Amino acid sequence: MDDRELARSLQRGEPHAFEALVEGHYDALYRFLRHLSRHRETAEDLTQQALLKAVRNIGSFRGESSLKSWLHRIALREFTGWRRKRRLWLPLDALKGVPEPAYGQVDEAESLLALLHGLPTPLREALLLFHVQGLSVEEIALVTGAPVGTVKSRLHHARKRLQSAEKDIQESYCYEP
C-alpha cells in the first residue's frame, strides 16, 4: 500500500490501516526518538503520541512528501515539546550504573552515543535523520523546517565534530615511548 492509499484508508477509519501504519513506521520512529531522548520509556511514549497525532491529523497529509518524512516531522515536534516541558532530574536508579542490554554493552557503541549526544541538537537531529533513519537531505529539510543548504551544513559540521572528537580520543590512547 503506497503513502496516499494508506492515508486515504486512515481517513476512512479502516482498522487495518492503523495496523499498517504502526507496522511500517513504529520501529523507525522509535529508534529516532530513542536516540534523541536517550530514554526507552520516553521514546515509546513519544512514538505512540506521534502515531496517534498522525492518525488524528491524517487529513493534513497532502502527499507532497513521503509519509515517512511527514511522520518524522510529527515525531520531532513531539520530542521538541517533551524537551521543553521536562524537568531535569536524576532518578536514583540511574546511579546504580546498570546499562540497558541493547546499550552500554559495547564500549565503542557507548562512546559513539556519548559523542553523538555531545553535539548540538540541530546537528544531532540532522545526523540521525540522515544516517540512522535514511532520509534524504530534502526530506530532512521538510522534517526540520530548515532550508536544504542549512541541512547540508549541519550534516557537514556534525561529521567534522565527530571526526575531531574521535581523533582526540584515539590520540589520548596513543602513548609515545
Side-chain angles (χ1 to χ4, degrees):
M1 179 179 322
D2 72 352
D3 290 350
R4 290 178 192 234
E5 187 178 324
L6 179 57
R8 284 191 293 273
S9 295
L10 286 166
Q11 286 175 339
R12 290 190 297 265
E14 296 175 10
H16 75 281
F18 184 71
E19 291 174 25
L21 178 73
V22 171
E23 286 178 17
H25 298 281
Y26 183 91
D27 290 343
L29 292 174
Y30 170 78
R31 186 173 50 250
F32 175 57
L33 290 165
R34 174 68 170 93
H35 282 293
L36 289 176
S37 69
R38 298 186 76 179
H39 195 259
R40 184 179 31 140
E41 290 86 5
T42 301
E44 289 170 354
D45 290 344
L46 291 173
T47 303
Q48 292 170 13
Q49 290 170 15
L51 288 170
L52 290 173
K53 188 168 277 188
V55 170
R56 281 194 299 265
N57 297 305
I58 195 65
S60 67
F61 177 68
R62 297 180 302 235
E64 295 171 359
S65 64
S66 68
L67 188 60
K68 179 180 179 179
S69 62
W70 185 73
L71 290 169
H72 276 80
R73 183 175 182 101
I74 292 170
L76 182 58
R77 285 183 181 158
E78 287 297 310
F79 169 74
T80 303
W82 168 80
R83 190 179 60 203
R84 275 191 211 121
K85 292 176 192 172
R86 76 179 176 140
R87 291 184 181 162
L88 296 177
W89 60 279
L90 182 62
L92 293 177
D93 292 4
L95 298 175
K96 292 180 185 175
V98 179
E100 292 182 42
Y103 295 87
Q105 295 294 322
V106 180
D107 288 338
E108 283 184 29
E110 195 62 37
S111 296
L112 179 60
L113 283 174
L115 291 173
L116 184 64
H117 289 285
L119 293 173
T121 301
L123 300 182
R124 184 173 68 243
E125 289 169 353
L127 201 68
L128 287 171
L129 287 168
F130 187 80
H131 289 289
V132 177
Q133 299 306 113
L135 270 61
S136 69
V137 171
E138 292 77 15
E139 288 175 319
I140 296 169
L142 288 171
V143 169
T144 61
V148 170
T150 301
V151 171
K152 289 179 180 179
S153 175
R154 288 175 180 171
L155 286 169
H156 171 76
H157 289 294
R159 290 178 187 130
K160 290 292 255 186
R161 284 190 183 196
L162 288 177
Q163 288 171 349
S164 175
E166 183 181 27
K167 183 179 176 186
D168 291 344
I169 289 171
Q170 288 176 351
E171 287 176 1
S172 69
Y173 286 112
C174 294
Y175 300 104
E176 291 186 26

